[in-house]
Amino acid sequence: MAASDARVNVVVSDRIMIHLWEQDHQADHYLVSFEMTRPGIAEVCALHLPNVSRTMRELVTNGLVSEHTRAVRGEDRRQKTWQLTEEGRKESRNRIEKLRLTKVLIRDKKGKLLEIRADEVSTRLQTGLTLLQVLMHAQHEGVLNFGDIRFGVIISSEENNNNPGSISLLSGAHSTYHIRPPETREVHGRSLEKKLIDNWYKSDVPMFVLSGIAGCGKTTLVSFWIDSIISSGEEIQAMYYPCQPWDTSLGIATSLLHRIGIGSDGDFSDPYGVLDSLPLKPGAAFNIDLFRRRLIAHLSDEKSLLNSKPSDILVILDDVHNIGPEGAHLFGALLQIAECTTMRLFLISRTNLAFYDRRDVHTRGRVEELVLTGLSLNEVVEWLNELNLPNNAPAEEIYTATGGHPLAVELLEIYGNTLHQDWLRFLDEEILDVLPNDHRELLAFLAVAEKPVPWKILAAASNFDGIPPNNLLERGLMLELDDGMWLHEALRSRLLREVGTPLEERSRKINQSYD
C-alpha cells in the first residue's frame, strides 16, 4: 500500500549527474544532440538556465564533469556542452544506486495506488521512462498513472511476449478515471434533487455544481441518477474522475483527452494537436489556454478532419475541493469548453466553488447549483419505516440527533443505534478535528444557543475578530440565516455531547452578549 507521506525531491546536482550518465554514449563525439547543451539540460532536468550554469561550475571544480565546445545536431553554431569524467562516472553510479531505491507513487493497470522503488516503475507502467524521467514526474506531479498519454505507446510486459498481437496503445489509462460513478447503496428520498438534475441535463446549461458537507450523499445521488438514465435505455458517454489530494490539473486534463479518444490512434485521432498542448516533460508549464482552444476545435471539428463526429460526453469531477485553488484555471477552461461544445460538466464539492461569477448562476445561465443538505423529516420517516429496528426510537429524535444526515441513518440501519460510534467518529475526523480551534469554538457557541445568533453577538461571545469564516460558510457547517448564524443539526448534536463547565460557560457568555 502507498504511504500518505510519500515525497520525492531530487537535488539539482543529482538530476544533472543522472542526465549526463544517460547521455554518456555521446561522450567525446564531434556531433552531439541538443540534450548535451545548457538549454537541453535545463529542459530535461526542469531547471532554470542560471541553475544549470551554477551547478556545472561546481561539478567541474570537483572534477566530476568536463566542459567542451561541440557541434550540435540541427544547429548552425557550436555550443558549450558537458560530459562526465571517469571520476564523475563512478560518482554517478553511486548516486544512481541510491536514487533507484527512492519510493515513488504509481497507479497501476488495475487502478491500485502503490508505493514502489523508482527502478521498478517503468516495468509496472509498461513504458520506456528512464530513471530520471520517473523521478522528475514523481517530484512535479506526485503520482505516475498507467497509460498516461504522455508516456507514449504501452510496451508489452514479459508475460505477454508469447502473444505479440495483444499490444495496445494506452490500454489501462482507465485507472485514472471510470466511465461511470461507483455503485452505491439505495437512495432514499431526494426526489426533488433528482428532478433538478434531470431538468439541468435536458437544458442547455453547460455546468452543474453539487455541494454539501462530507458524507451527505453527493456521490450516491449522482450514481443513482446516472443509473436511472441508463436503465431508461438512454445511451450516455460519461467520464467519472474522483479527485484525490495528490491529483493535478495536468492529470485531469490528460485523462480527459484519453477518454475522448485523443492519442489512441496516432495522428488520425488528434488532427488539431490537442496532445501537443500538454507539457510532455516534467516541470514544464501547462498552457491551459492553448489546451482549451485546441480541445474546442477538436470537439467542434468544423474542418471535418476527424473520421467520425465526437460523441457527447458528460464529465463528472468528484471531490474537486481536493484540487485546491490551483484547479480553478482548469475548471474555468472546462466551463468555456462546455459552453462551446456538446461536453457537459458536473462538479461535486464539499465547498462552494469560486472560479465562476454569481452572475453565471443567476443571469447568464452558465451554471446551476444545488447545495445538498440532510434528508427531510418525512424522508427519514419513510426510510425508518422500512427498517426492523430492535429499539424503535421516534423519528423526530433521530432527525434531531443526526440532522437527517444519510450516513447516520445508514449506520442506524446497520447497527440499530441512533448515535453509533462510527457516526460520531466520522463527524470528528472528517469535519470537527480538521477545523482551527477558533472556528470550532464558534460552532460550539452556536450549539448551546436556542435560536440563530447575530454575528456580532456570536463573535463577541467567542472572542473572534473579523468576518464570518468563509470555510465554515462554504462547507455549510455554519449557516447564515436572516436572524443570524446557525449550524448543521448533526454538528449541534455532536457538540452538545461535550457536557460540563465549558458548555455552561459558553451558554452564559451567549446570554451576556445579548445584554
Side-chain angles (χ1 to χ4, degrees), residues 4-5 23 44 52 60 80 97 103 114-115 147 212 217 233 266 287 296 303 309-310 359 424 449 462 493 500 502 513:
S4 59
D5 59 347
Q23 299 296 325
V44 173
V52 176
V60 170
K80 187 182 294 185
E97 284 301 313
K103 295 297 184 179
L114 306 175
E115 184 181 12
N287 191 334
I296 289 175
K303 297 182 180 179
K309 182 180 178 181
R359 292 169 292 181
L424 302 177
S462 58
S493 175
S513 299

Side-chain angles (χ1 to χ4, degrees), residues 163-183:
N163 185 14
S166 66
I167 300 177
S168 60
L169 179 66
L170 303 173
S171 60
H174 62 275
S175 61
T176 62
Y177 65 88
H178 308 278
I179 60 173
R180 58 187 295 182
E183 296 183 4

Side-chain angles (χ1 to χ4, degrees), residues 73-302:
R73 190 175 291 109
E75 300 288 341
D76 295 332
R77 61 183 181 85
R78 295 167 65 87
Q79 295 185 35
K80 187 182 294 185
T81 65
W82 293 267
Q83 68 182 47
L84 294 173
T85 63
E86 285 302 322
E87 184 65 26
R89 293 184 178 97
K90 295 179 183 178
E91 178 65 21
S92 294
R93 285 193 292 268
N94 292 335
R95 298 190 186 191
I96 289 172
E97 284 301 313
K98 296 178 181 179
L99 290 171
R100 63 198 296 266
L101 303 178
T102 303
K103 295 297 184 179
V104 175
L105 287 178
I106 71 166
R107 193 177 280 117
D108 68 2
K109 187 175 183 179
K110 297 181 180 179
K112 294 181 179 179
L113 188 69
L114 306 175
E115 184 181 12
I116 63 175
R117 288 173 22 173
D119 60 346
E120 299 175 354
V121 170
S122 291
T123 302
R124 289 293 192 100
L125 298 182
Q126 296 177 223
T127 186
L129 293 175
T130 65
L131 175 63
L132 179 59
Q133 289 173 326
V134 168
L135 294 172
M136 295 306 297
H137 277 290
Q139 175 166 320
H140 287 275
E141 300 173 30
V143 180
L144 285 78
N145 294 301
F146 182 91
D148 191 313
I149 294 177
R150 297 166 298 148
F151 298 164
V153 178
I154 289 177
I155 302 172
S156 62
S157 58
E158 294 180 1
E159 49 270 25
N160 289 333
N161 284 343
N162 296 329
N163 185 14
S166 66
I167 300 177
S168 60
L169 179 66
L170 303 173
S171 60
H174 62 275
S175 61
T176 62
Y177 65 88
H178 308 278
I179 60 173
R180 58 187 295 182
E183 296 183 4
T184 58
R185 294 168 58 86
E186 179 184 355
V187 173
H188 296 270
R190 304 296 195 195
S191 56
L192 177 59
E193 290 85 350
K194 286 183 285 187
K195 186 176 180 180
L196 290 173
I197 299 176
D198 274 331
N199 292 338
W200 164 79
Y201 187 65
K202 296 174 184 177
S203 71
D204 296 327
V205 179
M207 186 172 77
F208 192 96
V209 177
L210 181 64
S211 59
I213 67 170
C216 67
K218 300 182 294 294
T219 303
T220 301
L221 175 60
V222 175
S223 301
F224 188 78
W225 171 70
I226 287 188
D227 285 338
S228 64
I229 292 180
I230 296 175
S231 61
S232 66
E234 182 177 347
E235 293 187 2
I236 179 172
Q237 182 181 8
M239 168 186 166
Y240 173 77
Y241 193 108
C243 300
Q244 304 294 344
W246 53 78
D247 278 320
T248 62
S249 297
L250 178 58
I252 297 173
T254 304
S255 295
L256 175 59
L257 295 192
H258 178 270
R259 181 70 179 100
I260 293 173
I262 293 176
S264 60
D265 191 22
D267 296 335
F268 298 103
S269 68
D270 189 21
Y272 294 94
V274 188
L275 187 56
D276 293 336
S277 67
L278 300 182
L280 302 182
K281 295 185 178 180
F286 179 19
N287 191 334
I288 293 180
D289 182 59
L290 181 62
F291 170 82
R292 174 187 62 83
R293 288 186 279 111
R294 292 191 176 183
L295 186 53
I296 289 175
H298 179 95
L299 294 175
S300 302
D301 193 24
E302 294 179 353

Side-chain angles (χ1 to χ4, degrees), residues 428-471:
D428 288 339
E429 294 182 354
E430 294 289 337
I431 299 178
L432 293 177
D433 289 349
V434 298
L435 292 176
N437 291 334
D438 54 346
H439 292 182
R440 180 185 171 118
E441 193 66 12
L442 283 174
L443 299 181
F445 271 93
L446 284 177
V448 301
E450 298 179 354
K451 60 182 180 179
V453 182
W455 171 245
K456 289 184 177 180
I457 294 178
L458 178 62
S462 58
N463 294 323
F464 188 92
D465 295 327
I467 63 175
N470 284 332
N471 69 323

Side-chain angles (χ1 to χ4, degrees), residues 249-429:
S249 297
L250 178 58
I252 297 173
T254 304
S255 295
L256 175 59
L257 295 192
H258 178 270
R259 181 70 179 100
I260 293 173
I262 293 176
S264 60
D265 191 22
D267 296 335
F268 298 103
S269 68
D270 189 21
Y272 294 94
V274 188
L275 187 56
D276 293 336
S277 67
L278 300 182
L280 302 182
K281 295 185 178 180
F286 179 19
N287 191 334
I288 293 180
D289 182 59
L290 181 62
F291 170 82
R292 174 187 62 83
R293 288 186 279 111
R294 292 191 176 183
L295 186 53
I296 289 175
H298 179 95
L299 294 175
S300 302
D301 193 24
E302 294 179 353
K303 297 182 180 179
S304 301
L305 300 180
L306 298 173
N307 294 329
S308 59
K309 182 180 178 181
S311 303
D312 300 349
I313 184 171
L314 173 63
V315 179
I316 304 169
L317 303 180
D318 199 354
D319 290 335
V320 295
H321 55 270
N322 283 328
I323 304 300
E326 61 272 13
H329 296 297
L330 175 66
F331 299 147
L334 292 179
L335 175 56
Q336 289 182 301
I337 294 170
E339 282 187 290
C340 302
T341 66
T342 56
M343 186 179 83
R344 308 294 297 279
L345 199 58
F346 198 120
L347 303 188
I348 304 173
S349 174
R350 292 185 186 179
T351 63
N352 293 331
L353 303 178
F355 68 88
Y356 55 89
D357 198 290
R358 288 289 87 203
R359 292 169 292 181
D360 293 333
V361 179
H362 300 294
T363 60
R364 294 171 179 168
R366 302 178 72 209
V367 182
E368 283 195 23
E369 294 178 325
L370 173 60
V371 179
L372 201 62
T373 57
L375 299 172
S376 67
L377 176 58
N378 291 335
E379 289 171 335
V380 172
V381 170
E382 292 178 3
W383 191 347
L384 294 178
N385 289 337
E386 300 176 7
L387 308 182
N388 295 319
L389 299 178
N391 298 317
N392 289 322
E396 292 80 3
E397 177 184 336
I398 295 173
Y399 177 77
T400 301
T402 64
H405 199 293
L407 177 61
V409 185
E410 285 183 6
L411 294 174
L412 171 63
E413 178 181 355
I414 296 173
Y415 300 110
N417 190 335
T418 305
L419 289 177
H420 188 268
Q421 60 181 3
D422 285 350
W423 163 241
L424 302 177
R425 180 180 176 184
F426 172 83
L427 290 177
D428 288 339
E429 294 182 354

